Each structure stands twice: as C-alpha cells, then as structure tokens.
Amino acid sequence: MKRFHAKLLALCVSSSLCFTALAGCGTNNDAATGTQTQDSTQTQDSGQTQDSAQTENMSEGTDMEVTVFPLPDGPEESEIYVEPIANISDDFIRGMDASSVLVEEKSGVKYYNYEGEEQDVFMTMAQSGVNYIRLRVWNDPYDENGNGYGGGNNDLTTAVELGKRATKYGMKVCIDFHYSDFWADPKRQHAPKAWEGMDCEQKSNALYDYTKASLTELLDAGVDVGMVQIGNEINNGMSGETLVPMVTTLLSAGSRAVREISKDYGKDIQIVVHYTNIEDNDAIDRIATNLKNFGVDYDIFGLSYYPFWDGTNENMQNVAKLIQEKYGKKVVIAETSYCYTSEDGDGCGNSFVGIGDLVDGYGATVQSQATMIRDVCAAANEVGVLGVFYWEGTWIPVGKANVDNSPIWEEFGSGWASSYAADYDPEDAGLYYGGCSWDNQAMFDFDGYPLASLNVFKYLKYGSTAPLAIDVIPSVYVTSDVGTELSLPEKIDIIYNDRSANEKADVAWDEAQITAIDTNVGGTYEIKGSLSDGTAVTCNLEVKMINHAKNPGFEESDTSMWKVTYEGDNNPTDFQRKADDAYSGEVAFHFWSADSDMEFSIEQDLTDLEPGTYQLMVYAQGGDVSEDAEMELYAIVGGEEQTVSFMVTTWANWQNPTIPEIKVTDGTLTIGVRMKCNAKSWGTVDDFTLNRISD
C-alpha cells in the first residue's frame, strides 16, 4: 500500500563510481520480466562492497535520468546471514509493493538510508536490490466531497508520481488495477462508483477505456511499466461481477487494452491475473481451467502467498508447477510478507498479531524476516517462478502507539481505511476504519530507517556472512493433565541466523517452581529455565483437563479413528459440514433416513491412556424421534460397559449425556454413541470429551 528527487549526483557517495551513458548502453533486457541488468564493476573499501551507481538517459519521450545499482558480484558481510540461492538469475523479480509511500510522506513520515540520512525511499530500495515496484490503482478513492478513502488513496495520479520515482532508480513498475474505488480481494470486489448500474457489456467497455487511458498517462509520464495486473485477488469475482462468464469478459477487456497499448508504444508489457487462497489446489485448477476455456489472454498467473496463511512452500511450488505444466503460463508471487517484530507501531493493531501467526522455524525478528524472504524466493526459483513481490514493505506507522493518530489518518489516507470510505464499503471500512495493520511486517522500522532484512534482495545470489548468533528460541509450551506428574522437556530448539547450525540444547528448569505447582488444580504457569551458557528461557505450562478423544468434533478431514457401523444396506450417517447443526465448529456426525428405521453406532478405541478415573460426555441434538427410540453414550473398559441414555427433542436443544466415572487401569478404553431410531428422525452428535479427573 501502502522527496523526494535528490540531485542525481548525490546518489554517488564518495566511495562509489558514477557512469553516465546513453539509454541502452550496457543494458540487457529479459523478455519475460522486462528487468534491466547493467554490466558494472564494483569497488571495495575496508572490505565492504560499495554501491556502484550507473546513470543513463531515458529517451522514450522524457528527459528522465535513470540510476541503477548493480547487484553484488560476491558474498558480503552484513548484520543478517543469508544463504545463497543456487542458479538464481539476476533477472529474478525482487519486487516491492510501495503503494502507500506518498500518503505516508504527506502524513509526516520520513525515510532514511543505511547511514541514517534522509533519502528517497525508492533509492534505498534500489540500493538494496529491489528491481520491481508494484503499485495498486483505484479508479476513484474519494467521496463526493473529495475526502480520501485511505489505504494510500491510490488513484492514477498517485501511481504516476510513485511510478516515476521507481523508474528514476532503474526499477520496473507493475501496475495493479483493482478496478474498484477501494480494496479488492476475495471478500469484496465492489464496482467503481462510476460503473454502478452498468450491465456487463457496458462495464467491460468502461474497463477497457479506463485501462487504456491509464496506461497511456503512465507511459507518457515516463513510467517504465513492465507488467499490468488486471484485477486483484479475483477468486470470487471482479468489479461487482461474480459469474465466471462475466468476470472473464471483464478480464478480456482489460487484456485487450494492455495488448493494444503495448503494441502502440512498442513495449513488452506482461499481463497478470491474480489469485489467492492457493492452499486449495483444486480451486486454483478450476480457475485456470475457466481462464483457458473462456479464452482469456494473459501471460502470468499471479499468486498471493503468505506463509502464515497460505500453506507451505511445497504447496506453493505444486501450484506453480500446475500452472506452468498444465496451462503453459508463467507464475509470479504477487504478494508475500513476514513480520520482524510482534510490536504494534501505531496503536491500531496488526494483521500479524503474534505467536499464533509465527511459522515454525521463524521468529518475530529481522533475521527471521530476511530468512523467510530468502526461503520463499529459493522455493519459487526452484520451480521456475519469475520472482516475488513483497507486500507493502514501506507502510510504517504514522504517529506513536500511545497517541490518537486518527486525525492524520483521516486527512491524508495513511491508515488502512478512513471513515469517508463507510458509504462505499460499509461492511468493513465503515466498521473498522483506522491505522496501519502492517507496520510490523514493513522492511523499515517504526521511524523510517531501513531494516537489515531489506538487503536480502541483493544477497539472494551470493548470500551474506555474519557472525553466528542465536536468532530465536521458540517458545516452549507444555500442557499437563490434571492430577499427573509434570514432565518438562530436557532439550529445547535453538534457531541460529545460519539455520544449518540449529540444534537442540540442554535446559535446566527451576525445580523450586516446579515443586510449588499443585497439579491437582488447573492453572497456567511460567517456569524459568536456563541453557548451559546461562541464556534464560521460559516454559509456558498449562495444567488442565485434556480431552483425550481424537478428532473429537470431526473437524479434521481424517476421521479414520472413528468406526461407524450400521444395520441394513444404506448408511444413514455422514460427517456433515454445516455450522448451524454443529455444537462447535462446522462439522458434526449427522444421521437421517427417509424410508427406513436406523440402527447405527460410532466409536473410537483409545490406548496408552494414563491410569486413572475419566469422565466422558458428548453433545447431541435432533428431532422427529419416536418414543421407543434408543440412544446411548457408552464406554467399554476391561470388558465391562457403562452407558447413559438420552433423547434428542428439537433442533439446537443440545443434550449433554455424561458418564461421570470410568476407571482405566490398563490404558485402553472404547467410547461411542449408539442409536436405534425411526425413519425421518434426524440429528447430529458432536464434541466427544474424555477428561482424566483423578488418579
């Protein structure tokens, strides 16, 4: 998302070299990405590689001079450790979405370079290896009085200004048309106000005209557009249309406009279609099939891939290979990110909120942010993905966390939404407008200074060295059953900046604290410990009644631990996904038969239970049950069965049969529900709970 132009010679610090050349001299253009690379020699001072800046004139209708910072030609020392990526090209897209820069600056934010001097943020990004800038464009992000909706107020004028600044420092530009007046994503795809009331044909004509006029203005201003997104995260529709034939009609209109402009200007502009929720491989396959069947002309399939939301690197690779191999299209990671801290910079709250969002093996640190970017790039490069765009790495706090910053957010649009957006987007902006939700995932700190992790982009090929240091010690969480002896880990994971050095280290816990805990009473505790070198660590302990039933609410897709038996030829049961009929979650064990009486059971065998006394309960609801129906919750232990009868009555009148004391001595137990009931009766069973309540 979300000044200024310093003298060009100021780019050349005293230890750097400046070269001036005519446009095209020493430049190679990659047809797939449109990325420029320069042949240049680097100098070194005191063992540190310095930026070697090259300037050239852009002769395509402008007098703009362009300064390019070449990538290193070997590993460098750094504050962060980066493992090099084998066989990565200099043309690999090292992209950054920087849509919010202008409103940030208007709000008083200043950006600095690595020496602590105020500097154009686009120059800093270029020095750090960023070679592509992504800018979103909204048609008309203002209300009738000219008040901005926020989120960067990203109209075309803003894109032109930011695009020129990106071009000035040798970076290509990807224009991300949302075809909306505000945020467009899987949840919302509002049509621009000017298109309200239009049918699909009229809307497609308007979209074509808007795309063509916008690109003309961008190119005439000298913006080096190399890529255009026609729509943003359009899984569920675009510009108010949801049916596939309508959406593909709009996409084709946008594509036609880009192709015509590309031809008119003699410029290779790649067309991107952009989707998210890539953890659902089948859905992505259907989307790509629809694009093919409806003849949508595009070059690149863009994926949003946030590792804390969208699955594993391996799944991302599978999706990329599917698109490339089955549909013959190139792939780019259109959005990704990761946090460098769990702190909130402006008091508004963040999308990435803390420990629950962390990916295993990565902490909320600058080093982990760099490592995550490197690892996503490595996985993408391995399967031929063109590159990666980091989302909104420049969107930092406006104001301090302990101050009411809303007047600034409202005036300049530097929060994610202003109150003025309420009429256009009442369900989200109208309820939750406020500040920046991304500041802990930016690549500049809360005061505008670049993080060391920003340099990961220039280190991808050759890596960087740094003294071996602990990056993060993952939080230790232990859950203990009430009434059992505490068992804390003897070793814990240590994650280093160089992940190849990761190890499990011995830990000693405070015995006095452990002894003082009454395990017969539930509670939460923090137990102090230390590593052999004295490093302090903490174990977060929760003593509670653990539910020993496996997949107790049937929410996991694997239900093989549950055995279902029934009389007759037809199974009257299923695992039904319907939240209204579940006690919790979305899934419940469901029964119904239209023509015949039912007799069935569902049960689970448990082994390796701690000896002790257990309590079993379940929830059930239903209706249209005859008086002679039989329903039982049962437990079988040591060949003996305990049961409790119950009866469902009406919808959502949840019954909670309970067997209060089950003595387990050999660690084995069978739990279940059985029913005999009439045809046309119905109901659901949910949330088995088996707790150990005493020794």
Side-chain angles (χ1 to χ4, degrees):
M1 293 185 186
K2 344 217 225 188
R3 157 156 116 139
F4 236 86
H5 298 294
K7 283 288 185 181
L8 193 57
L9 291 179
L11 304 182
C12 308
V13 293
S14 58
S15 59
S16 301
L17 299 178
C18 261
F19 300 93
T20 302
L22 296 175
C25 289
T27 301
N28 298 313
N29 292 299
D30 181 85
T33 66
T35 303
Q36 294 182 339
T37 59
Q38 275 69 36
D39 298 322
S40 180
T41 304
Q42 298 200 324
T43 62
Q44 292 189 350
D45 179 31
S46 302
Q48 297 295 318
T49 303
Q50 301 294 324
D51 291 314
S52 178
Q54 178 169 319
T55 66
E56 56 186 45
N57 285 323
M58 296 293 290
S59 58
E60 298 179 12
T62 72
D63 296 325
M64 187 186 303
E65 286 187 319
V66 174
T67 300
V68 177
F69 298 92
L71 296 171
D73 58 5
E76 296 185 353
E77 284 191 35
S78 175
E79 296 176 41
I80 55 170
Y81 174 85
V82 177
E83 181 183 355
I85 300 175
N87 303 316
I88 193 169
S89 167
D90 287 353
D91 294 323
F92 184 84
I93 293 173
R94 300 157 166 85
M96 178 73 72
D97 190 305
S99 301
S100 289
V101 165
L102 199 56
V103 297
E104 290 275 291
E105 292 170 338
K106 289 179 179 179
S107 300
V109 165
K110 296 183 184 300
Y111 294 98
Y112 301 89
N113 61 21
Y114 292 99
E115 287 71 44
E117 302 161 337
E118 189 175 349
Q119 177 172 286
D120 189 345
V121 67
F122 288 94
M123 179 180 174
T124 304
M125 287 189 286
Q127 290 173 323
S128 303
V130 175
N131 60 11
Y132 233 112
I133 294 294
R134 181 174 179 260
L135 301 171
R136 64 178 165 273
V137 177
W138 295 325
N139 291 39
D140 180 22
Y142 302 93
D143 70 8
E144 58 185 6
N145 298 313
N147 298 303
Y149 290 160
N153 293 342
N154 288 108
D155 58 7
L156 181 62
T157 300
T158 300
V160 169
E161 183 166 349
L162 295 178
K164 289 169 65 177
R165 289 168 64 178
T167 300
K168 178 178 178 179
Y169 295 108
M171 295 178 282
K172 290 282 187 182
V173 175
C174 170
I175 296 298
D176 173 18
F177 288 118
H178 284 216
Y179 298 124
S180 175
D181 288 342
F182 202 40
W183 298 108
D185 52 45
K187 185 177 180 180
R188 55 200 157 207
Q189 289 283 339
H190 303 305
K193 296 183 292 291
W195 300 358
E196 289 178 5
M198 291 183 179
D199 62 25
C200 186
E201 182 179 359
Q202 293 170 323
K203 202 177 288 184
S204 67
N205 290 334
L207 188 150
Y208 167 85
D209 292 339
Y210 174 76
T211 304
K212 204 164 184 181
S214 298
L215 286 179
T216 297
E217 185 171 339
L218 285 156
L219 294 172
D220 286 348
V223 178
D224 191 7
V225 179
M227 192 182 296
V228 171
Q229 271 189 223
I230 48 175
N232 188 80
E233 295 188 335
I234 56 173
N235 299 55
N236 300 320
M238 189 171 82
S239 298
E241 302 294 339
T242 57
L243 299 178
V244 171
M246 307 303 186
V247 173
T248 53
T249 295
L250 297 178
L251 290 173
S252 292
S255 174
R256 188 171 75 256
V258 177
R259 293 291 189 222
E260 291 177 6
I261 288 292
S262 182
K263 181 179 179 182
D264 290 346
Y265 281 78
K267 188 174 182 62
D268 180 21
I269 301 175
Q270 299 283 284
I271 298 172
V272 186
V273 292
H274 177 205
Y275 298 91
T276 186
N277 300 133
I278 66 170
E279 69 279 8
D280 189 341
N281 294 17
D282 291 340
I284 295 296
D285 192 16
R286 287 193 298 272
I287 287 168
T289 297
N290 288 333
L291 294 171
K292 179 179 180 180
N293 290 344
F294 282 90
V296 176
D297 175 21
Y298 70 100
D299 304 298
I300 301 171
F301 199 103
L303 307 174
S304 285
Y305 173 54
Y306 295 97
F308 46 95
W309 287 336
D310 298 321
T312 63
N313 281 347
E314 290 74 20
N315 182 69
M316 176 269 287
Q317 290 180 314
N318 291 337
V319 173
K321 287 188 286 187
L322 168 74
I323 299 300
Q324 293 170 118
E325 295 170 3
K326 185 174 180 179
Y327 299 99
K329 298 296 182 180
K330 293 174 282 191
V331 176
V332 71
I333 304 302
E335 295 181 15
T336 194
S337 71
Y338 200 69
C339 73
Y340 76 93
T341 179
S342 59
E343 298 298 316
D344 171 26
D346 64 1
C348 185
N350 289 326
S351 297
F352 193 114
V353 296
I355 291 173
D357 288 322
L358 292 173
V359 177
D360 287 346
Y362 305 85
T365 67
V366 173
Q367 176 65 61
S368 281
Q369 184 183 55
T371 303
M372 175 62 80
I373 298 168
R374 180 265 170 208
D375 290 351
V376 170
C377 289
N381 184 68
E382 185 178 31
V383 293
V385 171
L386 295 177
V388 168
F389 286 95
Y390 192 93
W391 197 74
E392 279 291 16
T394 59
W395 197 10
I396 63 176
V398 170
K400 300 297 183 182
N402 60 349
V403 176
D404 179 9
N405 302 299
S406 54
I408 305 177
W409 301 334
E410 291 280 285
E411 181 178 357
F412 298 108
S414 45
W416 90 268
S418 74
S419 62
Y420 303 116
D423 288 342
Y424 185 75
D425 183 15
E427 294 183 1
D428 285 288
L431 299 176
Y432 310 115
Y433 58 88
C436 173
S437 63
W438 216 253
D439 52 51
N440 65 331
Q441 296 189 73
M443 302 196 77
F444 292 76
D445 70 16
F446 293 166
D447 296 313
Y449 294 89
L451 300 172
S453 51
L454 180 60
N455 273 324
V456 69
F457 295 105
K458 73 176 183 180
Y459 295 149
L460 292 179
K461 186 172 185 176
Y462 294 109
S464 65
T465 61
L468 185 66
I470 293 175
D471 177 26
V472 62
I473 300 176
S475 299
V476 179
Y477 289 91
V478 172
T479 301
S480 182
D481 215 347
V482 167
T484 60
E485 183 179 352
L486 291 181
S487 177
L488 303 185
E490 297 178 355
K491 293 178 178 289
I492 61 174
D493 292 321
I494 307 296
I495 297 175
Y496 290 90
N497 54 355
D498 178 356
R499 266 42 180 182
S500 67
N502 288 358
E503 63 178 351
K504 286 188 175 294
D506 293 330
V507 59
W509 302 110
D510 187 327
E511 289 294 337
Q513 281 188 289
I514 295 173
T515 302
I517 295 172
D518 182 357
T519 59
N520 292 308
V521 179
T524 58
Y525 308 88
E526 286 190 355
I527 302 175
K528 303 299 181 182
S530 61
L531 305 182
S532 58
D533 64 0
T535 300
V537 295
T538 301
C539 175
N540 300 278
L541 170 68
E542 183 177 11
V543 179
K544 67 174 187 178
M545 288 187 176
I546 297 173
N547 187 359
H548 293 276
K550 297 179 175 62
N551 196 7
F554 318 109
E555 300 295 328
E556 299 171 17
S557 58
D558 179 10
T559 57
S560 60
M561 69 288 296
W562 290 104
K563 178 183 177 183
V564 178
T565 59
Y566 57 92
E567 296 294 324
D569 296 330
N570 297 316
N571 184 358
T573 72
D574 66 297
F575 295 101
Q576 174 185 268
R577 182 171 294 277
K578 186 178 180 183
D580 287 347
D581 286 346
Y583 184 75
S584 67
E586 296 184 344
V587 183
F589 180 69
H590 169 254
F591 63 91
W592 182 79
S593 174
D595 304 318
S596 58
D597 292 346
M598 294 171 278
E599 185 174 351
F600 62 88
S601 66
I602 178 171
E603 67 178 32
Q604 179 178 135
D605 294 325
L606 294 156
T607 58
D608 299 324
L609 294 174
E610 287 286 332
T613 301
Y614 290 77
Q615 175 181 275
L616 174 66
M617 68 177 77
V618 76
Y619 289 90
Q621 62 92 36
D624 296 329
V625 178
S626 61
E627 292 183 358
D628 60 350
E630 298 177 10
M631 300 182 178
E632 289 181 331
L633 172 68
Y634 63 89
I636 303 173
V637 59
E640 300 292 328
E641 182 175 280
Q642 294 176 246
T643 64
V644 60
S645 298
F646 64 96
M647 188 67 65
V648 296
T649 55
T650 57
W651 178 74
N653 182 19
W654 288 96
Q655 306 301 303
N656 184 214
T658 301
I659 301 177
E661 293 186 2
I662 307 165
K663 192 68 175 178
V664 175
T665 57
D666 63 359
T668 62
L669 175 65
T670 298
I671 60 174
V673 164
R674 63 171 69 99
M675 295 188 182
K676 293 181 181 180
C677 48
N678 53 289
K680 293 186 172 55
S681 62
W682 53 271
T684 53
V685 175
D686 202 8
D687 289 358
F688 280 85
T689 304
L690 179 67
N691 296 137
R692 185 179 186 274
I693 58 174
S694 65
D695 294 341

